């Protein structure tokens, strides 16, 4: 985001006025549109509110903007030669459509991180740079400089990557697959999007875990689906709940994250896994298994995926590079019946004509290289170290104020706050003190839970980050 240059001889207010005038002339703020408030713009730009007041006064004197008490400051409808009947109501368009925006808390977190990059980030569900195989991937790209083709690729994805995934799934996850049963996607979210848009219809009922990462994705509501909860306890979901939901609501599909579940870190109990597969087979229900975290098992023995136990083909299996290597590669995959793969590949081709060939080539090389195994060993060791740092800091800073179950894998720690606090106010107070997290209500829980991602902050920031969170919490409880 643009910021005024404090070393410039031009006054700050004049720099701000010039930037706003330029953005208005480019159509970023069309005639009649509402500008950010003086307070919000001052906060975004890191200046005093009086500086923004002076910038607005400059633009008002030129007739570029108009201010009315109680209505805010808007771009003039006449200065730019436009009239109301010729100006599209962009706000109405932005608020319309069937695809819903992100949840308010997630937008607040994203804005805060954009405005204040120095925030200690316990919110973003990805690996920090020091956990990613940056040097290994750079070495592979240096060793393999040839690019086979830069045109549109196979709609199912780069064939050598699908072939590499066949070996990876067999060796690391116990899943038997063929390259024709694999669809390459840009990550787990695109896989879920394709499923909700192409395999389900508006009004269909689906079952998701409670709490669940799925609650943070408005794509389910955008698709017109009815969501029903499967409560998660320390052993995961109870398969009998699926039978009850099927009888009451005729659910069409079940979405689960059985290994180091996001956000709770729970691993679905072995006996419940067997019962879950039995119930799905009995009812003819498809299960979508999202499995991004299994290889992070700290003891080195990842729990088996449901897909490896699936004798009748009930499971649509989703995986991703984002949580074990690099989210920036944007590589995910789905294992599904060939008819489903064909349907989703056709839909994805209508969206983007397929993924870039270059990250797919990198991912294929990395999976087949001698770097992959050592990287996973190092990743597990470093994640365990970060998890322990986080737990020790919470126990030291907030004794008796938080409860949690220690996860044995994954990237997250799910905490219950003992004192009653308001989610939004706690988040705002934490941001003011320099740290950000995700309130539990984002995932469907009641107020009073938080998710800390220990994989995202740098090691040196974990202890001071929890100290800042503790200050915010103590401020809230007086």
């Amino acid at each position: 985001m643009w910021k005024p240059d404090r070393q410039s001889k031009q006054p700050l207010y004049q720099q701000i006025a010039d930037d706003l005038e330029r953005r208005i002339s480019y159509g970023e703020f069309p005639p009649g549109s509402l500008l950010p408030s003086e307070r919000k713009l001052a906060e975004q730009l890191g200046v005093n509110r009086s500086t923004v007041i002076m910038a607005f006064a400059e633009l008002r004197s030129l007739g570029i903007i108009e201010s009315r008490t109680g209505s805010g400051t808007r771009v003039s409808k006449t200065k730019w030669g436009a009239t109301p009947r010729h100006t599209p109501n962009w706000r109405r368009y932005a608020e319309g459509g069937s695809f819903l925006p992100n949840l308010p808390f997630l937008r607040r977190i994203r804005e805060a991180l954009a405005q204040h990059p120095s925030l200690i980030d316990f919110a973003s569900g990805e690996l920090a740079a020091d956990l990613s195989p940056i040097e290994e991937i750079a070495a592979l790209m240096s060793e393999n400089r040839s690019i086979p083709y830069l045109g549109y690729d196979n709609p199912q994805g780069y064939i050598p990557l699908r072939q590499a995934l066949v070996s990876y799934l067999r060796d690391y996850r116990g899943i038997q697959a063929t390259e024709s049963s694999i669809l390459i996607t840009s990550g787990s979210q695109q896989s879920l999007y394709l499923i909700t848009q192409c395999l389900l219809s508006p009004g269909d009922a689906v079952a998701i875990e409670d709490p669940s990462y799925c609650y943070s994705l408005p794509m389910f509501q955008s698709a017109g689906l009815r969501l029903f909860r499967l409560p998660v306890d320390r052993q995961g979901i109870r398969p009998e709940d699926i039978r009850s939901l099927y009888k009451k609501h005729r659910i069409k599909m079940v979405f689960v994250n059985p290994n180091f579940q996001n956000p709770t870190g729970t691993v679905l109990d072995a006996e419940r896994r067997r019962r879950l597969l039995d119930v799905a087979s009995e009812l003819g229900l498809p299960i979508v298994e999202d499995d991004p975290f299994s290889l992070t098992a700290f003891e080195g023995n990842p729990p088996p995926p449901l897909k490896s136990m699936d004798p009748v083909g009930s499971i649509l299996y989703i995986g991703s590079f984002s949580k074990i290597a690099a989210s920036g590669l944007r590589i995910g995959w789905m294992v599904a019946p060939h008819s489903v793969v064909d349907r989703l590949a056709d839909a994805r081709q209508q969206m983007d004509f397929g993924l870039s060939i270059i990250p797919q080539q990198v991912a294929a090389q990395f999976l087949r290289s001698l770097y992959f195994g050592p990287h996973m060993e190092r990743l597990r060791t470093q994640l365990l170290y970060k998890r322990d740092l986080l737990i020790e800091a919470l126990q030291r800073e907030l004794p008796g104020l938080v409860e949690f179950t220690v996860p044995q894998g994954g990237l997250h720690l799910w905490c219950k706050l003992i004192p009653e606090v308001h989610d939004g106010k706690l988040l705002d107070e934490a941001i003011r003190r320099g740290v950000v997290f995700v309130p539990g209500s984002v995932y469907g829980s009641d107020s009073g839970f938080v998710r800390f991602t220990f994989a995202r902050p740098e090691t040196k920031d974990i202890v001071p980050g929890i100290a800042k969170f503790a200050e915010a919490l103590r401020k809230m409880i007086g």
Side-chain angles (χ1 to χ4, degrees):
M1 180 179 180
W2 177 86
K3 293 284 180 71
D5 181 4
R6 295 182 180 275
Q7 306 303 317
S8 172
K9 294 181 180 180
Q10 187 182 33
L12 293 179
Y13 84 88
Q14 188 63 60
Q15 293 183 52
I16 295 169
D18 289 349
D19 178 66
L20 285 171
E21 182 176 1
R22 180 170 58 254
R23 293 165 72 184
I24 290 168
S25 69
Y26 290 168
E28 183 176 341
F29 295 107
S33 64
L34 185 67
L35 292 176
S37 68
E38 295 165 352
R39 179 192 59 76
K40 186 171 184 178
L41 191 57
E43 181 181 314
Q44 290 175 351
L45 300 178
V47 299
N48 292 327
R49 183 177 177 183
S50 58
T51 304
V52 176
I53 291 174
M54 292 174 65
F56 278 8
E58 176 77 6
L59 295 174
R60 272 194 299 271
S61 70
L62 298 172
I64 295 173
I65 64 174
E66 304 166 342
S67 298
R68 292 183 182 178
T69 303
S71 299
T73 299
R74 296 181 181 273
V75 179
S76 171
K77 293 181 178 179
T78 56
K79 173 68 179 178
W80 305 97
T83 63
R85 66 178 181 275
H86 292 151
T87 303
N89 187 337
W90 291 118
R91 178 176 295 277
R92 184 185 302 164
Y93 281 99
E95 292 175 352
S98 61
F99 200 79
L100 300 175
N102 267 318
L103 300 178
F105 277 147
L106 296 182
R107 296 201 300 273
R108 174 75 175 102
I109 290 167
R110 184 179 59 202
E111 289 171 2
L113 288 169
Q115 293 167 17
H116 308 289
S118 62
L119 282 173
I120 297 175
D121 183 6
F122 288 109
S124 301
E126 60 179 334
L127 302 179
D130 61 355
L131 299 180
S132 296
I134 295 173
E135 293 181 3
E136 294 92 330
I137 287 177
L140 286 170
M141 294 178 72
S142 176
E143 295 166 6
N144 301 276
R145 296 184 179 182
S146 63
I147 298 174
Y149 181 57
L150 283 178
Y152 295 131
D153 192 38
N154 188 300
Q156 273 188 238
Y158 185 49
I159 291 177
L161 174 55
R162 287 189 277 136
Q163 292 169 338
L165 282 167
V166 168
S167 300
Y168 162 83
L169 290 166
R170 180 190 64 237
D171 298 341
Y172 286 90
R173 304 307 297 125
I175 294 173
Q176 301 298 323
T178 64
E179 62 187 63
S180 63
S181 68
I182 296 174
L183 172 69
I184 306 300
T185 68
S186 65
S188 295
Q189 286 194 210
Q190 187 179 60
S191 297
L192 291 171
Y193 178 78
L194 289 169
I195 290 169
T196 58
Q197 290 291 323
C198 302
L199 305 185
L200 296 165
S201 301
D204 282 350
V206 300
I208 64 176
E209 296 161 316
D210 176 26
S212 170
Y213 174 67
C214 291
Y215 276 106
S216 70
L217 302 175
M219 69 172 72
F220 286 83
Q221 290 89 340
S222 297
L225 304 178
R226 295 180 294 135
L227 304 182
F228 295 94
R229 300 171 181 243
L230 295 169
V232 173
D233 61 26
R234 294 192 176 189
Q235 295 177 303
I237 63 168
R238 296 183 295 270
E240 292 74 17
D241 291 343
I242 295 175
R243 197 187 307 277
S244 298
L245 289 178
Y246 182 81
K247 289 179 180 178
K248 291 180 182 177
H249 305 289
R250 286 294 184 265
I251 56 173
K252 298 285 291 291
M253 193 172 283
V254 179
F255 292 79
V256 293
N257 173 196
N259 293 331
F260 311 123
Q261 194 252 7
N262 184 6
T264 66
T266 302
V267 175
L268 183 61
D269 174 75
E271 176 58 29
R272 292 189 183 186
R273 288 170 189 258
R274 287 189 286 271
R275 296 207 308 270
L276 172 58
L277 290 171
D278 287 344
V279 170
S281 177
E282 175 189 331
L283 300 176
L285 273 177
I287 296 174
V288 177
E289 178 183 16
D290 191 7
D291 189 29
F293 306 113
S294 287
L295 292 195
T296 64
F298 301 139
E299 295 181 357
N301 296 310
L306 293 170
K307 184 66 176 174
S308 68
M309 307 163 58
D310 176 26
V312 297
S314 298
I315 310 292
L316 301 181
Y317 180 83
I318 294 173
S320 170
F321 249 32
S322 296
K323 312 306 181 187
I324 60 172
S327 56
L329 283 176
R330 304 311 306 135
I331 296 293
W333 53 86
M334 186 191 311
V335 181
H338 189 63
S339 59
V340 171
V341 170
D342 274 352
R343 171 73 176 98
L344 301 189
D346 177 76
R348 213 273 307 284
Q349 190 175 33
Q350 295 179 53
M351 294 167 55
D352 56 17
F353 278 97
L355 306 175
S356 167
I357 194 72
I358 296 174
Q360 292 185 81
Q361 183 183 26
V362 170
Q365 291 169 354
F366 183 54
L367 278 176
R368 286 176 162 159
S369 74
L370 297 177
Y371 296 123
F372 184 72
H375 161 69
M376 291 307 307
E377 290 289 341
R378 186 175 69 252
L379 175 62
R380 285 190 286 267
T381 299
Q382 292 175 319
L383 283 174
L384 178 59
Y385 180 65
K386 286 189 169 188
R387 182 206 69 177
D388 290 347
L389 272 181
L390 175 63
I391 289 172
E392 290 168 7
L394 285 168
Q395 290 172 335
R396 182 172 56 253
E397 296 287 346
L398 294 168
L401 296 179
V402 295
E403 292 179 349
F404 51 82
T405 299
V406 178
Q408 299 307 308
L411 315 185
H412 314 296
L413 182 68
W414 181 246
C415 293
K416 176 176 175 56
L417 304 179
I418 305 305
E420 291 188 10
V421 292
H422 185 280
D423 271 2
K425 292 179 180 178
L426 177 60
L427 178 61
D428 286 341
E429 186 63 34
I431 290 172
R432 280 193 286 271
R433 294 174 184 273
V435 64
V436 66
F437 62 93
V438 182
S441 57
V442 166
Y443 305 107
S445 283
D446 296 331
S447 181
F449 289 84
V450 299
R451 192 198 75 174
F452 294 111
T453 300
F454 50 83
R456 184 62 182 86
E458 294 185 26
T459 301
K460 66 180 178 61
D461 290 331
I462 289 177
V463 172
I466 292 303
K468 293 175 185 290
F469 175 81
E471 291 173 2
L473 181 58
R474 293 187 189 282
K475 170 77 171 178
M476 293 295 301
I477 61 179

